[in-house]
Structure formats: C-alpha cells, structure tokens
Amino acid sequence: MRCREPQPRRSKLDPNALRPPGIFIFVGGAATVLALDISKLGSSPPTTAWRTELVECDGEAALSMIHGFPTSSLYVVSSNGWVWKIVSRTGKIVWRRRLVRAESNLGAASLWLQSTCRLIVAFPDGKVYCISPFDGKDLWNVVLPSVNLQPKLQLWDHIFLVSLGSSLFVFELTTGNLVKTAILDNPQISNMRVTKNGKFIPTATDGRYATISLTQLLQPDFACEWSEGAGPLPSSSRKCVFCDW
C-alpha cells in the first residue's frame, strides 16, 4: 500500500480548498527556498508564490530537495546536516531536525522518498539516515565503511550505494542491515537502476554495463562481469518515483 498522510477534513467554504494550485518550481540556495508559479508562463513571467528562510542553515551550505508524497510536501536537506519538511503549497515548515552535528560542510547530500513511508538521506562521507516523512523521527541510521560516496542511490526492497572507489554497499530498506559489500571493478559508475524483476544494472562511463540479480550479488564468490553497450531497458513500464526509469 502506498504511503498516505492523514489529511484534515476541510469545510466546503474553505477558500484554500478552492484556490487554484498553480504550477510550482522550487529553487533553493543561500539558506532560502523559493516557490515560483509558472502556470501563466506563456503570458507573464513567473511569480514568487512563497519564500521560506531556513534559519538553521549556514548560508554557504548546499541544499538538495525532493517533492513528493506524503501529498504536497517538499523535503530539503542541507550539507551542514539539517533536514526540513515544507508544505509545498504555502512554504510553511512542518518539521525540522538536525541529523548531523557537523563541524564542517559535509558536501551535497542525496535524499530519496520511498513509497513505504521512508525518507532516505545519504551524505557523501558515508552517513545514511532513514527517517519518517511524517515527523522526521529516526527509523534507522548507518555509517558505511567508506568515504566519498557518490550521490547515487536506488531503492526497491534493498538500497544500493556506490563509492568513488567502486565499492558497492547493499542493505535492507526496512532495517538498515548491511547485507553485502562488493567491488564492481570499475571506478567510474555513471548510473544505477533496479528493475522490477530484481535486476541491478550499474552502467560505467566507458560504456560497459552489468546485469546482476540480487541472488547472484549476495553470493560469497560474487564477481562483477561487464558487457559492452548501453545495457537492457527495464522490464517494467511502470514509472518509479524513486528510480531513474
């Protein structure tokens, strides 16, 4: 079942319920998030729908954002360790919390929203957090035995994360248990995807790809075999909100 956030019951005369939703694009930087309404872009320039200051954020910190479920929510994470949930229609901050008390900038974080009510935040130094999108509370967190993690993460029932040294880490989505560490034998991974039939497909910058089943990957004697070409297309036509297919 897809994750759904309980919504308050509205009066039929509530003006917010009758207000046109607009078409927003979100821009973040310098401790500020802007929502620009582009619904009338053909006849007039974009207008600022709202502006929210992230007072806990260092002005030099990089911001990463994702918009998705629970309905009408914007999630923002800063490179100094803060994460916010914002109502995408109004700019109101629902909750904020500090994941990491960092003495220095951690680098741009990656965040993914998973359909079973989990928000995943991964920092380049190996710290990975799984929190509830409803209230920001911890579900689990891990520190991977590597640094310089690429901001590439693909989800199904397992999480796949690759370091710049081509170390692959696989851990369970529900518990955060690390179930596999493997070497992909290619230092330049440009893309990763997980197909619906359980195939993990990393693609290298030199044009090679590998097609790996989770069963194969979890074998003690696993060795990655690379093929030439762009790789097979995903087997499912279903658009996945947390993958690149």
Side-chain angles (χ1 to χ4, degrees):
M1 179 180 294
R2 186 172 293 275
C3 176
R4 296 185 182 276
E5 186 171 23
Q7 297 295 316
R9 184 172 297 176
R10 289 172 170 169
S11 167
K12 293 182 179 179
L13 299 179
D14 183 354
N16 290 325
L18 303 176
R19 183 184 304 165
I23 301 174
F24 292 163
I25 60 173
F26 303 100
V27 181
T32 303
V33 178
L34 292 175
L36 302 178
D37 189 347
I38 59 171
S39 58
K40 299 180 180 179
L41 193 58
S43 57
S44 61
T47 58
T48 301
W50 52 259
R51 176 190 182 101
T52 298
E53 302 290 337
L54 307 178
V55 296
E56 300 85 1
C57 182
D58 181 349
E60 300 296 322
L63 297 178
S64 304
M65 298 184 291
I66 187 170
H67 178 252
F69 53 82
T71 307
S72 302
S73 298
L74 179 70
Y75 299 90
V76 182
V77 61
S78 69
S79 57
N80 68 338
W82 282 88
V83 60
W84 299 262
K85 177 181 178 179
I86 299 173
V87 179
S88 59
R89 190 166 176 171
T90 64
K92 178 182 177 181
I93 296 176
V94 180
W95 54 257
R96 60 172 67 83
R97 64 162 301 193
R98 192 168 196 175
L99 293 177
V100 185
R101 294 189 177 275
E103 297 181 358
S104 59
N105 196 306
L106 297 171
S110 302
L111 71 164
W112 275 262
L113 200 55
Q114 211 276 338
S115 60
T116 55
C117 299
R118 291 173 176 85
L119 179 66
I120 310 293
V121 183
F123 291 98
D125 65 351
K127 296 182 178 69
V128 182
Y129 296 83
C130 178
I131 62 179
S132 166
F134 297 132
D135 52 22
K137 291 183 179 179
D138 274 320
L139 299 177
W140 52 260
N141 63 80
V142 297
V143 179
L144 297 180
S146 178
V147 295
N148 297 323
L149 294 171
Q150 295 187 54
K152 291 183 179 297
L153 180 71
Q154 300 298 324
L155 307 178
W156 198 253
D157 53 354
H158 288 74
I159 299 175
F160 300 79
L161 191 59
V162 175
S163 73
L164 291 177
S166 280
S167 294
L168 171 67
F169 303 97
V170 184
F171 47 100
E172 294 176 344
L173 174 63
T174 55
T175 64
N177 291 333
L178 183 65
V179 296
K180 181 69 176 182
T181 301
I183 302 298
L184 294 182
D185 193 31
N186 192 310
Q188 298 295 326
I189 305 300
S190 63
N191 185 31
M192 298 189 297
R193 63 181 184 267
V194 179
T195 64
K196 190 174 182 179
N197 64 348
K199 300 290 185 180
F200 167 61
I201 305 176
T203 304
T205 54
D206 62 5
R208 296 184 297 162
Y209 72 94
T211 303
I212 309 165
S213 70
L214 185 59
T215 301
Q216 177 188 2
L217 181 63
L218 296 180
Q219 294 299 317
D221 58 348
F222 166 76
C224 187
E225 297 182 359
W226 294 89
S227 303
E228 301 293 334
L233 294 174
S235 60
S236 172
S237 60
R238 177 180 180 270
K239 181 68 175 180
C240 178
V241 297
F242 43 84
C243 301
D244 62 348
W245 45 273

